[in-house]
Amino acid sequence: MDQKRCAVASKESLIRIFTVPEAPDSTLSKIESEISSNLAGFLNENIAAIEKPLHEIEKDFQTATIPEEPTFVSDYAQDIMEQLVAHSVHTAAPSFIGHMTSALPHFVLPLSKLMVGLNQNLVKIETSKAFTPLERQVLGMMHHLAYGEDDSFYSKWMHSAKTSLGAFCSGGTVANITALWIARNRLLKANGDYKGIAAQGLIAGMLHYGYKGLAVLVSERGHYSLGKTVDLLGIGRDNIVAIATGENNKVDVDAMRKKAHELEASGIKVMALVGVAGTTETGSIDPLNEMADLSEELGCHFHVDAAWGGATLLSSNYRHLLSGIERADSITIDAHKQMYVPMGAGLVLFKDPAATDAIEHHAEYILRKGSKDLGSHTLEGSRPGMAMLVHACLRVIGRKGYEMLIDRSIVKARTFADMIKQDEDFELISEPELCLLTYRYVPKEIQAKLKEADEETKLDIYASLNRFTASMQKRQREAGRSFVSRTRLTPAKYDHQPTVVFRVVLANPLTSKAILKDILAEQKELAKTDPVFKKYLSKYMD
Ligand SMILES: *Cc1c(COP(=O)(O)O)cnc(C)c1O
């Protein structure tokens, strides 16, 4: 056997993959040492700058047969460097400002390896004796951040076998599902002969309580995960009611109140209101206090989806923007967004320690009654120790460190908004409330043309601008120097017509003002050669 490459080459040596590490000069060991000492450099060097078309990449992943024979680890590592790493998306690049996925602090790398090595399963104490108390502490810290209860509250509940103050999960989607699962089960609770929805199901519950349907009300900018949630909970996608937003992209609470009363008058019970603290498309925060008032009026659950914006609570300078969140029955926060934790770290918090009673599950071999197993209150079963990475970031970065990171992102977004406003060929579409904004490129000649255009010409220009913006975004991504994302809004400025815009999220601490300047300059250059512009818009340029 090839000693240097060791590991798996024959079936006889398979046992060795559990004990013998790679030889130091093998490909895998080199990767390992490079990513530990210089992750940013490794990514810069190994991710190809120019995009390879997806159908080309797919050619390397064609075969559906599982390989019969073992392979050298080094050979495999070589393959993935060429086929996988080279064509990965450089989410950590400071010019990658299109999505909520950003750079990671270096210390999470060795800690992630430790987490994987320990391979604890958080579903039950028997496989996570120290990780369970740690996760309960992290949930307590985040609960305290949002709800600010006193010490006696946390000493009573944080490690209590009766409850969990929240639930760790893979992300905001599962967090939202968990929150509304609790809302549904608390609404259709046991009563008289009816043993509750968990025992008897939705239909018996609806008949017992005399509801024709259940509804969840949320801003039209609510996240698509809520659609999945109501589908899964048996409420139905038609019963997630989208409420209009005003010009600031915040939900219109008066319209929500009116809709809620209409629904209830027709026999449909409003199960929950969902406030969004940091919408995915514009980063706006709904009027949470007004929504809390409305949910009290209606006697329904109030959930805040702060998957993206929740980390703002860590800044004493900006946490007031989320004022009213402390009145929510449940809150979703994704640590893998603005808390710089790797993917797979979402959490939901419950105001009332008794909330988890509504979804408590027990089993005989684990999750026994009276045990502190977290699995009796989570939707997911086996789960990794991601809480350790949140714990690490909270300790290493600290509340003040997060405050600095968050404040800088917000200031940077305002600076970028100013740069856009100062350039007469760009238009800011949504002002940043946090560090997310939208804009588009509309040459001043076209802006002038729009002012005097008749209705038909206007609509033609709108449609052409949409195509053009989409084309620019795609070409910028393909050129590989920088990346902004795009979405579609309906701003008053464009007569509430569907309007394609660039969307940027300025969470990477390494994104500088110079980089932002370059991105605008690059877009100006791209516009000059854009085929869609030439075809549909150049005629309006004189
Ligand atoms: C990202 C996000 C979600 C979904 O979270 P995942 O972690 O992608 O499952 C839900 N709501 C909002 C507002 C988000 O930004």
Side-chain angles (χ1 to χ4, degrees), residues 444-446 448-449 452 533 537-542:
K444 57 180 180 298
E445 293 84 352
I446 304 248
K449 198 58 125 223
E452 55 193 43
F533 189 88
L537 286 161
S538 52
K539 61 175 179 271
Y540 295 115
M541 286 296 280
D542 44 335

Side-chain angles (χ1 to χ4, degrees), residues 100 170-174 176 223 225 276 278 280 305 307-308 334 336-337:
M100 292 170 170
S170 63
T173 300
V174 176
N176 283 339
H223 191 264
S225 57
V276 192
T280 316
D305 182 358
W308 180 70
D334 260 344
H336 63 216
K337 288 177 179 164

